[in-house]
């Protein structure tokens, strides 16, 4: 198999808000503008940095670094926690601007959006660089004057993301069949989205050290040698500008996880956290109208090990009580000694219910009606107005977070 | 300096019919009147059925985060930041 570079007109636009969490904070607080700022999971020295500002990046501060290390690089560093309400609002307004240009808008994360103009090119006839410039201007005028974004235009999502990362911050680049190889010559393997140090090592073992080597690698060497799966075929296509990532997968799991501020192996404390995770997970599951047929609990432990177990259920589960009961059953099987650093719970095999099977006893039905009533009260008076007793005094535990990855935020959330 | 609080605060607002928006104009905090120069960001947050209007404003020296409860039409000051120190 030998395939040439895709030479069609580039119609996929990737837009990436620069240093989103930090810049949004600087947008709201003018006194923090132009200063090295990081958004941490917490404001404590051991917390992990979620996003450094553009100014903090100049000191070498990176995402994933602990706050105390960042202080060593920049003693005047300002640390803040993410303002989730503010960030979600920026995302919703930013997405609304993008939706003015095409109905094919896919948020890839809280700060990334892909606009596909393939089916609307006859309506939007302008040069896409002009459209990108206009989106940048509208972002500043309609959302916030301090917000900047990178725009990348290419024939597929992968190259559009590469283009969006070429000139940060506030860049606008287009990759087409004419300049693709020049772009590959100017970047490293780790600059390619989806290539981390492990993939890089795997590519190195096959004699691939640069994006140009990667591009010149044959289809069979990628499929059989490097990736040993269909993934090799996907990379072969992707590197030549053909679309293989345009599929939106349906949701398969709903879950929550929590990195424990105070690490513990106390079963009661873990049960309380598990209950709150199940409550948050259950609220999301019910809001989306799903029921689940399986549940999975995982614990990252202080000794570096990861314990996890899943279990399928014979009946649909969806009330917080049902989810918690199943999750607690699994958690009880965990060896009690290791100290837990992160607790996660996911429900899987989710589907929209098609009517529940009648039972001899109507207790389950009653519980579901109670769950529905509790959700109605919490919707009306705010989250955690009514909670299970096990969650008492847990207001500050398992706080609201923005997940990495695909954003599923609706305007009304 | 960063002060996190949750105190009721006196706010003078102006309704702008052209923009269709109510804009805070002055805040009285710690017996001092602060005239707002810029609205850095405005957004709404829903907590239950109640909607809160959250304004991040600046008087040239301090950033204020003030919140209007749309049900009780009351104002609260949530945060004051001057950007000096962590």
């Amino acid at each position: 198999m030998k395939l040439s570079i895709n030479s069609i007109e580039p119609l996929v636009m990737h837009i990436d808000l620069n240093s989103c969490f930090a810049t949004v904070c600087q947008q709201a607080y003018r006194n923090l503008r132009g200063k090295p700022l990081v958004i941490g999971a917490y404001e404590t020295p051991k917390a992990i940095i979620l996003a450094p500002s553009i100014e903090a990046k100049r000191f070498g501060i990176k995402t994933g670094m602990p706050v105390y290390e960042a202080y060593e690089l920049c003693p005047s560093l300002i640390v803040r926690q993410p303002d989730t309400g503010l960030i979600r609002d920026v995302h919703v307004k930013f997405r609304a601007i993008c939706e003015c240009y095409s109905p094919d808008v896919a948020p890839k994360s809280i700060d990334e959006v892909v606009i596909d103009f393939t089916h609307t090119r006859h309506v939007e006839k302008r040069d896409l660089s002009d459209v990108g410039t206009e989106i940048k201007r509208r972002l500043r005028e309609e959302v916030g004057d301090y917000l900047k974004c990178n725009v990348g235009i290419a024939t597929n999502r992968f190259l559009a993301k590469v283009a969006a990362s070429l000139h940060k911050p506030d860049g606008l680049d287009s990759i087409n069949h004419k300049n693709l190889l020049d772009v590959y010559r100017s970047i490293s393997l780790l600059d390619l989205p989806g290539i981390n140090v492990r993939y890089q090592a795997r590519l190195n073992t096959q004699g691939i050290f640069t994006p140009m080597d990667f591009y010149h690698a044959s289809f069979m060497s990628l499929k059989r040698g490097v990736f040993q799966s269909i993934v090799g075929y996907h990379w072969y296509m992707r590197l030549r500008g053909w679309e293989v990532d345009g599929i939106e997968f349906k949701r398969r799991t709903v879950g929550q996880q929590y990195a424990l501020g105070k690490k513990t192996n106390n079963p009661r404390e873990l049960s309380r956290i598990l209950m709150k995770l199940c409550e948050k997970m259950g609220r999301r599951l019910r809001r989306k109208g799903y029921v689940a047929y399986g549940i999975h609990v995982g614990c990252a432990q202080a000794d570096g090990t990861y314990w996890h177990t899943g279990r399928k259920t014979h009946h649909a589960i969806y009330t917080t009580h049902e989810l918690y009961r199943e999750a607690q059953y699994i958690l009880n099987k965990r060896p009690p000694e290791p100290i837990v650093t992160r607790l996660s719970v996911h429900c899987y095999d989710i589907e929209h219910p098609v009517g529940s099977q009648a039972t001899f006893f109507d207790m389950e039905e009653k519980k579901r009606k109670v769950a529905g009533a509790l959700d109605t009260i919490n919707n009306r008076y705010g989250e955690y107005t009514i909670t299970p007793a096990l969650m008492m005094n847990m207001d500050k535990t398992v706080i609201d977070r923005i997940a990495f990855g695909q954003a599923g935020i609706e305007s009304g959330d | 300096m960063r002060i996190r609080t949750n105190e009721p605060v006196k706010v003078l607002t102006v309704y702008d019919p052209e923009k269709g928006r109510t804009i805070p104009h002055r805040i009285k905090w710690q017996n001092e009147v602060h005239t707002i120069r810029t609205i850095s960001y405005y957004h709404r947050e829903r907590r239950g059925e109640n909607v809160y209007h959250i304004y991040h404003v600046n008087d040239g020296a301090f950033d204020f985060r003030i919140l209007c409860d749309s049900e009780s039409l009351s104002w609260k000051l949530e945060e004051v930041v001057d950007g000096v120190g962590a």
Side-chain angles (χ1 to χ4, degrees):
Chain A
M1 180 177 170
K2 199 166 169 64
L3 196 65
S4 58
I5 296 171
N6 190 350
S7 59
I8 61 164
E9 184 192 6
L11 290 175
V12 178
M13 184 183 284
H14 182 103
I15 310 176
D16 183 348
L17 289 177
N18 297 137
S19 304
C20 176
F21 285 25
T23 316
V24 167
C25 185
Q26 289 173 315
Q27 171 62 45
Y29 299 90
R30 298 181 89 82
N31 283 322
L32 303 181
R33 294 184 186 183
K35 293 181 180 168
L37 164 81
V38 294
I39 304 298
Y42 300 95
E43 292 177 15
T44 51
K46 283 187 180 175
I48 294 298
I49 293 171
L50 302 174
S53 68
I54 293 164
E55 297 80 9
K57 283 177 183 171
R58 291 189 189 124
F59 286 88
I61 297 167
K62 291 179 178 168
T63 302
M65 191 181 265
V67 169
Y68 69 84
E69 266 183 36
Y71 272 130
E72 285 170 15
L73 295 170
C74 175
S76 61
L77 188 71
I78 299 168
V79 185
R80 290 283 186 272
Q81 275 185 262
D83 185 333
T84 51
L86 200 63
I87 294 164
R88 287 197 179 103
D89 189 74
V90 167
H91 173 84
V92 168
K93 287 175 182 165
F94 168 53
R95 205 166 85 183
I97 291 175
C98 296
E99 283 168 352
C100 295
Y101 298 93
S102 168
D104 289 341
V105 175
K108 304 312 287 178
S109 68
I110 196 80
D111 61 349
E112 289 178 324
V113 158
V114 172
I115 312 176
D116 190 345
F117 291 91
T118 309
H119 305 294
T120 50
R121 194 56 178 145
H122 59 288
V123 181
E124 183 55 77
K125 291 174 181 163
R126 284 181 294 169
D127 186 340
L128 288 193
S129 296
D130 295 341
V131 175
T133 307
E134 186 174 298
I135 291 174
K136 280 165 167 282
R137 180 181 56 75
R138 286 187 64 185
L139 179 72
R140 282 194 301 273
E141 289 177 2
E142 297 173 29
V143 187
D145 59 343
Y146 200 71
L147 301 176
K148 296 183 184 79
C149 65
N150 268 55
V151 178
I153 303 160
T155 52
N156 67 0
R157 282 162 171 72
F158 168 75
L159 289 180
K161 190 170 166 72
V162 172
S165 63
L166 290 178
H167 295 102
K168 284 194 171 183
D170 210 17
L172 192 157
D173 289 274
S174 179
I175 296 179
N176 54 38
H177 65 286
K178 291 176 186 164
N179 67 355
L180 174 62
L181 297 184
D182 291 335
V183 170
Y184 283 158
R185 282 188 199 101
S186 68
I187 58 176
S188 70
L189 279 177
L190 290 176
D191 292 327
L192 298 176
I195 299 294
N196 57 19
V197 284
R198 286 184 187 171
Y199 264 132
Q200 186 189 30
R202 198 190 283 192
L203 290 164
N204 291 164
T205 59
Q206 299 292 321
I208 297 169
F209 293 92
T210 65
M212 277 305 280
D213 295 340
F214 201 5
Y215 169 76
H216 284 302
S218 70
F219 165 66
M220 290 313 283
S221 71
L222 291 180
K223 193 179 174 198
R224 294 214 176 136
V226 184
F227 297 101
Q228 296 169 6
S229 71
I230 188 86
V231 176
Y233 164 77
H234 290 155
W235 273 106
Y236 187 82
M237 299 290 281
R238 215 176 261 142
L239 288 163
R240 284 157 178 76
W242 298 93
E243 188 60 276
V244 286
D245 301 305
I247 306 158
E248 295 296 329
F249 294 99
K250 80 171 215 194
R251 182 176 284 277
R252 290 179 176 170
T253 62
V254 175
Q256 292 286 143
Q257 67 170 322
Y258 174 61
L260 279 69
K262 194 178 166 189
K263 300 165 182 58
T264 182
N265 60 358
N266 182 328
R268 181 164 173 77
E269 203 50 46
L270 291 175
S271 290
R272 280 161 55 80
I273 294 167
L274 187 69
M275 170 56 96
K276 186 150 186 181
L277 291 174
C278 287
E279 167 69 2
K280 290 187 88 169
M281 178 175 72
R283 291 274 288 149
R284 286 176 56 213
L285 186 77
R286 294 189 291 274
R287 197 180 301 141
K288 292 172 192 299
Y290 288 117
V291 296
Y293 287 89
I295 196 154
H296 178 274
V297 176
C299 301
Q301 299 171 148
D303 57 9
T305 58
Y306 184 73
W307 177 91
H308 66 109
T309 300
R311 159 179 151 95
K312 291 195 79 163
T313 58
H314 298 296
H315 56 281
I317 49 174
Y318 93 136
T319 69
T320 297
H321 182 74
E322 287 168 336
L323 294 165
Y324 172 67
R325 189 179 58 201
E326 298 293 338
Q328 183 66 56
Y329 180 82
I330 294 171
L331 189 66
N332 286 347
K333 293 180 178 175
R334 192 186 79 87
E337 291 82 19
I339 291 168
V340 177
T341 57
R342 193 179 71 237
L343 184 61
S344 66
V345 58
H346 290 84
C347 50
Y348 56 92
D349 281 356
I350 58 173
E351 55 184 61
H352 293 290
V354 286
S356 59
Q357 190 175 340
T359 57
F360 286 117
F361 310 101
D362 61 354
M363 281 305 289
E364 291 302 314
E365 192 57 32
K366 278 185 181 169
K367 281 180 190 167
R368 288 178 184 198
K369 282 184 178 167
V370 170
L374 295 179
D375 283 349
T376 307
I377 292 169
N378 286 330
N379 288 343
R380 180 161 185 177
Y381 295 104
E383 216 59 60
Y384 310 127
T385 302
I386 295 188
T387 64
L390 203 57
M391 274 173 55
M392 277 173 72
N393 305 320
M394 286 188 73
D395 292 353
K396 302 277 181 193
T397 314
V398 196
I399 52 181
D400 186 22
R401 294 284 189 206
I402 291 174
F404 288 97
Q406 191 96 8
I409 298 165
E410 302 299 331
S411 309
D413 271 14
Chain B
M1 178 206 76
R2 180 190 191 192
I3 299 169
R4 277 190 273 192
T5 176
N6 195 27
E7 58 188 284
V9 68
K10 198 176 265 188
V11 179
L12 178 70
T13 63
V14 176
Y15 175 69
D16 183 340
E18 286 175 10
K19 290 180 182 169
R21 187 183 284 186
T22 299
I23 300 163
H25 183 58
R26 281 180 188 155
I27 308 170
K28 191 172 182 185
W29 176 60
Q30 292 186 342
N31 290 323
E32 206 172 305
V33 175
H34 299 264
T35 303
I36 292 165
R37 286 195 190 172
T38 47
I39 296 174
S40 306
Y41 201 80
Y42 159 77
H43 73 289
R44 286 182 296 179
E45 269 184 31
R46 189 177 281 277
R47 295 176 195 170
E49 282 193 348
N50 205 2
V51 175
Y52 292 84
H53 300 267
I54 300 169
Y55 294 84
H56 289 86
V57 298
N58 184 284
D59 71 340
F62 297 105
D63 285 312
F64 299 93
R65 179 183 159 105
I66 50 175
L67 176 149
C68 175
D69 180 339
S70 65
E71 194 181 4
S72 62
L73 295 179
S74 60
W75 288 84
K76 275 188 177 172
L77 175 68
E78 290 200 323
E79 196 175 10
V80 185
V81 173
D82 69 356
V84 179

